[in-house]
Amino acid sequence: MQIEVLSQIQADVSSLEGRVRSLALTMECPVQAKPSGGTSDNLFPESHLYLTLAKVQHYLEQLLLNKDKLKVC
């Protein structure tokens, strides 16, 4: 069950990131390269889930902090 949840969260985050990047490119805004770091495959499923949720939280916090720039870039 947790593996399915983790996979869905990763797919949703990837989709959200793709939409934001697409919007930025449409508005001719600079797009930063994706971070190359990933999670290790030898972690427990709970650790994967925690790390994925932490990344989502950080991403959304940054989006909120910079939302005023979304109209400009």
Side-chain angles (χ1 to χ4, degrees):
M1 173 85 171
Q2 287 186 352
I3 298 298
E4 293 86 14
V5 171
L6 177 61
S7 296
Q8 184 61 52
I9 290 170
Q10 288 172 330
D12 291 345
V13 169
S14 180
S15 176
L16 176 61
E17 184 179 26
R19 288 178 189 243
V20 170
R21 287 180 176 279
S22 177
L23 180 60
L25 291 172
T26 301
M27 296 174 66
E28 297 180 1
C29 296
V31 179
Q32 294 180 352
K34 288 175 111 177
S36 60
T39 58
S40 175
D41 289 338
N42 61 357
L43 295 175
F44 289 107
E46 292 82 6
S47 298
H48 274 294
L49 187 59
Y50 172 79
L51 290 174
T52 301
L53 290 174
K55 286 181 182 181
V56 171
Q57 180 180 4
H58 177 73
Y59 183 81
L60 292 175
E61 286 170 352
Q62 290 301 311
L63 189 63
L64 287 174
L65 286 173
N66 295 303
K67 71 180 179 180
D68 59 321
K69 296 177 187 173
L70 291 176
K71 294 178 182 173
V72 179
C73 269

